[in-house]
Amino acid sequence: MNSLVVPSSHRSIMLMASVGFASLMALGLLSLSSSQGSSSSSKRRTSRRKQSKRRPKVHLRGLYNLGNTCFLNSTLQSLASLSSFNLYVEQCVELLSEGNGDSVDAGIVIQLKEVLDQLEPYDSRVKALSPRNLISSLSYKGQWIASRNEQDAQELFQMLSSTLQAVARKADGSLLGVLNTNQPIGNSFISTNQQQHQTADDRQNKDRRSSNAAPENPLLGMAASRTACVRCGYIEAIRHSTFDNLSLTVPRAHITTIEECLAMYTAMDRLDDFCCRHCSIVATLARIKRDLAEHKAHLAKSDWPSKKTKRIVAQLSEQQHMLEEALANNPEAELKGIELSRPPPSTSTRQTMIARPPKILALHLSRSIYLPTGGTAKNPACVQLERLLDISPFTTTGHISTIASAPISGPSLSASRYPKESLAEVRRRNCLYRLNAVVVHSGAHDSGHFYAYRRIETDPDADPLLGSSDQWFMISDTSAVEVPLDTVLGAGNGYLVFYERI
Ligand SMILES: [Zn+2]
């Protein structure tokens, strides 16, 4: 499809108005010419010419558009550029040859590998490929692709990711598989305690099936989130959830950066109207103590105390004990038979951060704006990208703060502008990423065209920090044009951005 994803309740009738190929080419040429305007750019151009003399000429295979399938073509070109993703697909196909996976998933994974293999770089011109067989396999997956004008690059990405995960999970058949389900952040939380149990079980399961371990999903990362009450300081369990991509809200600005989008995602929110369990227990305990005192006074005054009053006093005393125990040891404990009072609403802080960085960091730049009229529009903000991305500021850095008003993790150790000596340290912490591909959406919210920028490695032994062996291509369906890195970083209209850890 050509539109950006909108929850189905907000979907309006989609218009199909693909931006013509000619205008896209014009876009590419415009970017090229604008970066060649200054004298410094002219020096860069000369040095690029020198580089290109040394480099082998690379050709990429395009994909035919089979009717609004640009979302599929651009996503496949991007995925093809990710070495750990290609390895993962290969491993999933091997699992299928051992009889794992149902036939629909198997068909998709096998066809996906067929296409990815053909999207490898060539040293001579190659004809474009028709992704017809993959589309046909995808069409078996429910109603997907049946109505192609409602498709979106992110939906396709998530569908391919969950299909691969289903194949890997079937081979795994362990708690690790359950833990690894591709759920978006916020949907399925596992408390820290549960997490510890599962990790121990994982280890046992891993030992049992060491000969048939599931391949590691390079897209899978883990997020940690924490909700804390500002009034009493109580912190609900730190919850962990897995993710295969992070959906980042793009700020409403003319120009922004990928780091700003990540900072917004991991920022600490303050929410009013929070009902804190600890405050509830405190309020309930106060109420029960009052009731108990009244009934005890009644008992003391009465010469012939009723059995009923005695029973109530015993019950309230037991409840007081349970509440005091809960406050002292575990406020989350079940409090059977006690109706909790609702304290006055308080303010809470809420924050989510990356607890385990994935090999491939897939970022979805959510550009949907919900209008007061009920419709949707596209946020056209220009999101500038970095070739190297240090995600340390957005991770828990292994230390989680339990102070309600403090961020989850301590201040980042990273130097955001990358002095060379700090990069090794960032890399050691698994926090340094290199841009590999971008799916771009041009046009309005409910119409337009998807195309991709894709990095090609011309020298596998080159230092990834320098980027001297990178070649970048803009690929729109059947056309692949080499572009300078500046065009990719400054294009601004990214929709899916793929970083791979180095
Ligand atoms: Zn509280």
Side-chain angles (χ1 to χ4, degrees), residues 399-417:
H399 164 72
I400 297 179
S401 165
T402 51
I403 300 166
S405 54
I408 290 187
S409 75
S412 158
L413 300 170
S414 90
S416 60
R417 286 304 130 200

Side-chain angles (χ1 to χ4, degrees), residues 229 231-234 276 278-279 346:
C229 174
R231 181 167 51 209
C232 72
Y234 176 65
C276 164
H278 187 271
C279 288
S346 71

Side-chain angles (χ1 to χ4, degrees), residues 338-356:
I338 303 178
E339 198 182 324
L340 289 182
S341 305
R342 198 179 162 83
S346 71
T347 302
S348 70
T349 58
R350 220 166 266 188
Q351 191 179 27
T352 301
M353 297 193 96
I354 299 169
R356 192 182 68 206

Side-chain angles (χ1 to χ4, degrees), residues 7 11 18 36 66 74 77 80 137 151 156 175 197 199 210 230 236 287 299 311 321 381 417 427 453 464 481 490:
R11 272 202 179 120
S18 268
Q36 290 169 358
L66 303 176
S74 54
Q77 291 287 2
S137 301
Q151 296 311 328
L156 173 75
L175 272 171
H197 289 309
T199 310
S210 54
V230 171
E236 289 183 0
R287 186 195 75 210
L299 270 185
R311 204 175 54 240
H321 177 70
R417 286 304 130 200
R427 219 170 158 184
Y453 290 112
V481 183

